[in-house]
Amino acid sequence: MRRLTLTLFIIIASWSVAAAQSLLDTFEKNLAQLGVYKAQFTVEIDGYQTSGSYIVEGDNFYATMAGVEIYVAQGLKHEVNAEAREVIIDSAASLGNDILSNPANGFKLLKEQYNLTPTTVDGAPALKLSQKEGSQTILVVADRGGALPKRIVYSDGGAELTITFTAIAATNSPLPLFDASRYVDYEVVDMR
């Protein structure tokens, strides 16, 4: 009996991990099929709310939120802060593993660094991710069809950041690239 219970537990656990990975794989596949795509979103943390967007083309992207623009192309990241009149240049390898700091690869990185558990939220497919080393958890809620992400909630030590996607669609707009001539009077900080 104990062996049967253990065997069933192993089968169910394997199925759960496969189902969770399948949802992330579906996101990646559907986003890749869009080709160049634009996502619009809102971010809420501690009562503060702002909106932003990003355009992704392969591993390159352009993102804007709260007065900051980020250009990532050809292995370089240029972060432009208009208020501070500053451009920070860094290697694209310095990008984080979350969807805001690395929208081109955020879902791929989640599979490597988190334990995945499938669930549902308000009838929509969802994943609960628990950090393998650390206390951060992430809840990823899909749209009703399970094709694309609708909401992501990052939680760590009581703090919570919620990203809600208002639109994700293919775009004919070219990926904006960093143009140094637009920022000649900005301070440049090279972190490479």
Side-chain angles (χ1 to χ4, degrees):
M1 182 66 174
R2 190 178 295 192
R3 182 184 295 257
L4 176 62
T5 302
L6 181 59
T7 302
L8 287 174
F9 176 77
I10 291 170
I11 290 170
I12 290 169
S14 298
W15 174 82
S16 293
V17 169
Q21 288 180 340
S22 176
L23 187 58
L24 289 178
D25 291 342
T26 298
F27 291 166
E28 290 176 14
K29 179 181 71 101
N30 290 339
L31 291 169
Q33 286 177 346
L34 292 174
V36 180
Y37 67 91
K38 181 175 185 176
Q40 296 173 295
F41 56 87
T42 60
V43 176
E44 187 173 338
I45 184 167
D46 295 333
Y48 171 77
Q49 186 172 349
T50 189
S51 59
S53 65
Y54 56 78
I55 298 174
V56 175
E57 182 177 354
D59 285 336
N60 302 321
F61 67 88
Y62 166 78
T64 182
M65 183 178 76
V68 175
E69 297 175 281
I70 299 174
Y71 302 84
V72 173
Q74 301 172 347
L76 284 179
K77 175 180 92 169
H78 292 85
E79 183 174 322
V80 179
N81 184 324
E83 185 177 327
R85 303 195 63 73
E86 177 180 76
V87 176
I88 298 174
I89 303 170
D90 205 347
S91 165
S94 70
L95 296 171
N97 65 353
D98 62 85
I99 202 71
L100 288 181
S101 61
N102 194 351
N105 295 298
F107 291 114
K108 293 175 194 163
L109 297 170
L110 289 178
K111 291 189 289 189
E112 298 168 9
Q113 299 172 356
Y114 292 84
N115 296 312
L116 314 173
T117 306
T119 187
T120 59
V121 173
D122 300 328
L127 295 174
K128 182 176 181 184
L129 298 96
S130 303
Q131 198 171 29
K132 290 180 180 178
E133 294 182 24
S135 62
Q136 186 183 62
T137 61
I138 303 171
L139 178 66
V140 181
V141 182
D143 58 17
R144 291 279 178 188
L148 293 170
K150 183 65 181 168
R151 184 168 32 117
I152 302 174
V153 181
Y154 294 89
S155 301
D156 194 359
E160 197 169 271
L161 179 135
T162 301
I163 303 164
T164 303
F165 292 96
T166 55
I168 300 175
T171 183
N172 292 325
S173 299
L175 180 71
L177 298 175
F178 179 75
D179 179 0
S181 68
R182 292 182 52 209
Y183 309 104
V184 292
D185 60 340
Y186 281 43
E187 179 183 355
V188 176
V189 179
D190 194 332
M191 305 292 286
R192 293 176 286 173

